[in-house]
Amino acid sequence: MSHGDDRQSQALAKPTFSDVQASALVESVFGLKVSKIQPLPSYDDQNFHVCISSAKDTADEPTEYVLKISNTESSKSPELIEVQSHVSMFLRAAGFPTASVHPTAGGHLSSLVSVDGGSGVAGYLLRLLSYLPGTPVAEIPSSPQLLYEVGRLAGRLDETLQKFHHPKLSSLRRENFIWNLKNVPLLEKYLDALGQSRNREIVVQVIQLFKDEILTKLCHFRECVNHGDLNDHNILVEPSKSAFGDAVYHVSGILDFGDMSYGYYVFEVAITIMYMMIESKSPLHVGGHVLAGFESVIPLTPVERSALFMLVCGRFCQSLVIAAHSCQLHPENKDYLMITAKTGWKRLQEMLDVGRKAVEEIWFETARSYDSGVSM
């Protein structure tokens, strides 16, 4: 967000609409008759799965949508939300499984409504997105094929977004955005959420290494627009059979462009590796398969590759620290906020224990095996 990007104010401003209120908004703002509605898990916005009663003359239109109600801080940046909507539509036109945006009754992509969302009268931006099919990657046993596919997806996204143009594209230059990977040092102001603990010591260590090893290299990285949040709950997959009868997966949905910002190619692959490690039974081997997929589209330079280990550690710290901070503000959303933390601290500690050299050796050797046609 362009308004300081402070997740504290965002967390405080998460909408708390009831099912009845949300249903009424769909009908009044988008002119659609709701047959069923239920809440979906979310970080700092509010999402609802909406089923529509379809009329005979709209048989070709979707009957399932996601009503996305942006938090009050995000809602102050309509130009940013607009760019996100146009990106989703641009990628869909380019063949990616992203959501279409259903216009309001007045023909707009979003609508700002001033209502009582449970915490006083405030402004909330509403959008209605097509519901995408599939199962989150988090619920699928990871395989080299799936990890490669996800890495390739990340590369194709960044490559395709280089062709995206919009008059308000500069809104994605979110300098103090806490989720932009270059802003790992900004985590220092949230460290109190960890108390005086071993976890805090680990984060302090990573922040210092990040300052020393990454900030000095930024000028050597190739810039691009990042999705910025290709986590295992934002990528949906569906099974299909391979020629050998094995179950293989293809990506059926890409969700949540709310963390988009200008970054670097190497940021996207580092973020993707980190999230794919969370549920993996062989977390240290994940990176090589994801990297191979990404590099099949965009090969990294030597300086970008040399930053990968510390960037993955930095993203672990961002996810874990911000989740702990948000839990203090929103304890009722703890189960969702702490998804990564269940195994995240263990994964980060394991990376640091094994060390950069050994982890890189695993990643780069695995990635290299794809060049010879033998994936590890």
Side-chain angles (χ1 to χ4, degrees):
M1 287 161 306
S2 57
H3 290 263
D5 294 320
D6 191 329
R7 285 274 161 157
Q8 178 167 356
S9 54
Q10 274 197 60
L12 288 168
K14 180 173 178 175
T16 53
F17 286 78
S18 68
D19 294 7
V20 172
Q21 287 174 311
S23 182
L25 287 170
V26 172
E27 299 190 7
S28 64
V29 175
F30 298 96
L32 298 174
K33 182 70 177 170
V34 176
S35 61
K36 183 182 176 185
I37 190 165
Q38 62 186 71
L40 294 169
S42 59
Y43 202 102
D44 48 18
D45 296 323
Q46 195 176 15
N47 300 324
F48 291 89
H49 182 190
V50 182
C51 296
I52 301 298
S53 304
S54 59
K56 289 180 183 176
D57 58 347
T58 60
D60 292 337
E61 292 189 11
T63 57
E64 291 183 79
Y65 293 92
V66 173
L67 173 65
K68 193 165 189 70
I69 306 175
S70 296
N71 63 71
T72 53
E73 282 299 307
S74 292
S75 296
K76 293 173 185 174
S77 302
E79 71 286 349
L80 185 57
I81 304 290
E82 181 184 336
V83 170
Q84 292 167 11
S85 295
H86 279 280
V87 162
S88 186
M89 294 188 296
F90 170 79
L91 289 171
R92 189 175 180 86
F96 289 86
T98 54
S100 58
V101 185
H102 192 285
T104 67
H108 302 288
L109 295 180
S110 63
S111 177
L112 184 66
V113 296
S114 294
V115 289
D116 189 340
S119 53
V121 177
Y124 299 92
L125 262 176
L126 309 181
R127 285 179 296 161
L128 197 63
L129 312 175
S130 58
Y131 184 83
L132 298 172
T135 303
V137 166
E139 297 173 19
I140 302 290
S142 69
S143 66
Q145 175 267 328
L146 179 57
L147 295 169
Y148 182 92
E149 186 76 16
V150 168
R152 188 166 173 272
L153 170 73
R156 288 176 54 231
L157 272 178
D158 282 7
E159 181 185 54
T160 305
L161 285 173
Q162 290 287 54
K163 302 169 193 145
F164 176 75
H165 300 287
H166 191 277
K168 295 171 184 171
L169 191 59
S170 61
S171 64
L172 295 181
R173 293 200 177 277
R174 306 163 74 177
E175 287 309 307
N176 293 314
F177 184 41
I178 193 64
W179 286 104
N180 188 300
L181 197 42
K182 73 178 179 185
N183 288 330
V184 165
L186 295 183
L187 295 175
E188 288 174 335
K189 63 180 176 180
Y190 300 109
L191 290 177
D192 285 349
L194 303 178
Q196 297 300 323
S197 63
R198 172 63 185 146
N199 288 345
R200 180 178 180 138
E201 292 172 11
I202 292 170
V203 173
V204 169
Q205 175 192 352
V206 171
I207 290 174
Q208 189 56 54
L209 288 168
F210 195 95
K211 289 177 180 177
D212 296 340
E213 298 179 18
I214 300 299
L215 296 187
T216 55
K217 291 180 181 175
L218 290 179
C219 60
H220 300 293
F221 297 160
R222 291 167 296 164
E223 189 182 58
C224 67
V225 172
N226 292 145
H227 175 283
D229 195 17
L230 289 175
N231 70 52
D232 48 353
H233 291 269
N234 282 342
I235 302 173
L236 307 178
V237 294
E238 289 186 322
S240 53
K241 292 284 185 187
S242 73
F244 302 102
D246 304 326
V248 296
Y249 291 92
H250 66 273
V251 176
S252 59
I254 307 165
L255 308 179
D256 196 358
F257 288 81
D259 284 354
M260 281 185 67
S261 66
Y262 271 96
Y264 305 93
Y265 289 129
V266 69
F267 281 13
E268 197 82 272
V269 68
I271 290 166
T272 308
I273 287 172
M274 175 257 153
Y275 285 117
M276 293 305 112
M277 288 177 67
I278 294 297
E279 300 295 339
S280 173
K281 290 185 170 62
S282 305
L284 294 183
H285 288 81
V286 163
H289 301 293
V290 174
L291 178 61
F294 190 89
E295 290 197 313
S296 72
V297 184
I298 304 169
L300 296 184
T301 65
V303 71
E304 288 168 342
R305 272 188 159 214
S306 72
L308 206 48
F309 175 86
M310 192 48 59
L311 287 170
V312 173
C313 290
R315 184 54 168 209
F316 267 115
C317 290
Q318 283 181 312
S319 181
L320 294 164
V321 172
I322 296 168
H325 172 72
S326 297
C327 276
Q328 290 184 331
L329 301 169
H330 265 288
E332 75 281 358
N333 201 26
K334 184 175 181 179
D335 287 347
Y336 184 79
L337 291 170
M338 297 302 283
I339 286 174
T340 301
K342 288 175 185 173
T343 53
W345 288 111
K346 184 179 174 184
R347 298 283 183 263
L348 175 58
Q349 183 68 65
E350 191 175 356
M351 280 188 70
L352 295 171
D353 286 347
V354 172
R356 171 181 155 179
K357 187 177 178 184
V359 171
E360 284 183 345
E361 202 169 286
I362 296 169
W363 289 351
F364 298 161
E365 186 60 39
T366 301
R368 198 159 39 244
S369 71
Y370 283 83
D371 296 334
S372 60
V374 184
S375 58
M376 297 174 73

